[in-house]
Amino acid sequence: MTERYIGLISGTSMDAVDAALVEFNADGPQCLMAIAHPFPESLRQDLRTLAAPDWCGNLDDFGRLDALTGDLMADAALSLLARAQVPASTITAIGSHGQTVRHRPDAHPPFTLQIGSPARIAQATGLTVVADFRTADVAVGGQGAPLVPAFHRAVLQHPREDRVVLNLGGIANITHLPISAQAPVLGFDTGPANTLMDHWIRHHRQARHDENGDWAMTGQVSEALLARWMADPYLGLAPPKSTGTEYFSPTWLQTHLATCPGVSAADVQRSLLEFTATSIARAIQSHASNAARVIVCGGGVHNGALMARLRAHLAPRIVESSSRHGLDPDWVEAMAFAWLARERMQGRTGNLPAVTGASRAVMLGGIHAP
């Protein structure tokens, strides 16, 4: 039986809402169409303020942004359907990740918070919405992240090749897919990918990202900065673990820069790129040393300089885009939340306890009818 779902996600970069129309049939999930639905600049700035670790706003601000983000998610789904010329009646449900504004799995008590009112999405689209995927895993002792490794296992595990799937979003995360389908899958956040590089170039060049890493490659690596960053306690933690932009934040960056005065802006950008590549490579070498292939998705796959440094650090492993495996790297996470919504609608568990550290497998997400 063929089914269609929509997956929605806004990542830590807040550059757009990724929306994917996914069809499920006997051949597995196929992305029929995907779009990057733009953020209004005022909403993006307000959400960045809300997500900052030193936010001191009020509940009225929070409620307003929850509603506006839900409206944005609904607009993304409706725009996708219009572009695809697909009637809403053919869609089983929407899986909406929402926008993460806090992720504190190690707090007491632990919590994770994504906003984007699913009730408003359901009412605006007339479709069932599955949302709030992470909190059930946290409630049973898990990190609530990463959740996408279950999808990676479903679509990219190979019986003759040990693999790693690397997502280069705002935060980098890896999934280790062993050859044996019975062996546990490992997955965790390795540290920053694009978030600090994007922040730095926005601050110094008013650009959203460093196209192809071109600006970074005009600079030199500051070995002093790189050594400080590589000594960060998070990198030394054993998995399961997860992190976010509330930890690897502009404040984190400025605190380190204050100890190494005189480093040029271009050298900081180059050092951040090297930090991303080095921290990812160390994580793979430490926890997935048998992997023969690293399959890369997320926006960072378009940064040629970063990909080159990853290949240099990870040789002789093959490092390649997920497009080589039939998955457009820009839409893998949106597809994953369509897949997770389908798992929930069919009454199946969605988390991998070996990845998140949860005490047991649980169904993820609440179902919101229109």
Side-chain angles (χ1 to χ4, degrees):
M1 178 181 174
T2 298
E3 295 179 285
R4 289 175 177 173
Y5 283 76
I6 291 174
L8 302 173
I9 183 169
S10 172
T12 53
S13 62
M14 300 185 196
D15 52 356
V17 176
D18 292 341
L21 174 60
V22 183
E23 185 169 275
F24 295 86
N25 54 42
D27 297 324
Q30 305 292 324
C31 185
L32 301 181
M33 178 169 281
I35 62 170
H37 188 73
F39 260 83
E41 186 59 32
S42 60
L43 178 58
R44 187 198 331 271
Q45 293 303 326
D46 286 348
L47 284 170
R48 283 184 177 148
T49 299
L50 176 62
D54 57 352
W55 179 70
C56 295
N58 57 55
L59 286 177
D60 285 348
D61 291 335
F62 180 90
R64 177 178 63 87
L65 292 174
D66 181 48
L68 288 175
T69 304
D71 292 345
L72 179 67
M73 298 284 173
D75 288 345
L78 292 170
S79 295
L80 175 64
L81 290 172
R83 285 274 300 276
Q85 296 185 317
V86 168
S89 59
T90 67
I91 307 300
T92 301
I94 295 171
S96 178
H97 172 270
Q99 178 66 58
T100 297
V101 293
R102 278 295 185 282
H103 185 64
R104 302 289 197 194
D106 298 315
H108 300 286
F111 68 94
T112 185
L113 187 58
Q114 289 75 41
I115 64 172
S117 170
R120 293 181 73 86
I121 302 172
Q123 293 305 317
T125 62
L127 294 170
T128 297
V129 176
V130 184
D132 195 25
F133 287 93
R134 299 189 184 276
T135 55
D137 183 82
V138 173
V140 291
Q143 292 278 312
L147 298 182
V148 178
F151 177 67
H152 293 160
R153 181 180 67 174
V155 298
L156 288 170
Q157 192 163 35
H158 195 280
R160 294 185 300 277
E161 184 177 70
D162 199 298
R163 295 174 164 180
V164 164
V165 182
L166 166 62
N167 176 56
L168 294 173
I171 298 295
N173 54 70
I174 63 170
T175 303
H176 178 214
L177 300 173
I179 292 172
S180 171
Q182 283 70 49
V185 171
L186 177 71
F188 59 93
D189 293 339
T190 65
N194 301 314
T195 184
L196 294 176
M197 289 189 286
D198 288 351
H199 160 76
W200 194 247
I201 198 169
R202 279 197 310 271
H203 181 69
H204 287 275
R205 293 202 153 194
Q206 292 73 55
R208 289 193 177 175
H209 62 274
D210 188 2
E211 187 74 29
N212 206 39
D214 289 343
W215 184 43
M217 298 313 289
T218 67
Q220 302 293 321
V221 174
S222 165
E223 296 297 340
L225 276 176
L226 182 60
R228 284 188 62 86
W229 294 339
M230 289 301 298
D232 186 88
Y234 177 80
L235 272 61
L237 293 176
K241 61 179 180 176
S242 60
T243 189
T245 55
E246 67 279 350
Y247 183 85
F248 289 106
S249 66
T251 301
W252 180 93
L253 178 58
Q254 289 298 333
T255 299
H256 284 284
L257 292 179
T259 68
C260 297
V263 181
S264 74
D267 288 354
V268 171
Q269 188 76 354
R270 176 68 182 87
S271 302
L272 286 170
L273 186 148
E274 192 65 20
F275 177 45
T276 292
T278 304
S279 56
I280 290 168
R282 179 180 293 182
I284 291 173
Q285 289 156 356
S286 298
H287 298 284
S289 59
N290 292 332
R293 188 181 305 268
V294 178
I295 301 169
V296 188
C297 56
V301 74
H302 304 297
N303 186 325
L306 177 57
M307 292 292 287
R309 293 306 299 147
L310 285 167
R311 290 187 176 103
H313 280 293
L314 291 167
R317 298 172 183 86
I318 297 167
V319 178
E320 63 187 7
S321 168
S322 63
S323 62
R324 298 290 298 272
H325 302 266
L327 292 171
D328 188 313
D330 291 323
W331 313 121
V332 171
E333 284 207 301
M335 289 182 67
F337 281 92
W339 183 87
L340 285 166
R342 182 171 181 260
E343 297 300 287
R344 179 64 181 89
M345 292 293 289
Q346 298 194 358
R348 292 191 288 264
T349 59
N351 63 330
L352 296 179
V355 169
T356 66
S359 61
R360 59 188 175 89
V362 291
M363 289 188 287
L364 303 180
I367 298 174
H368 301 259

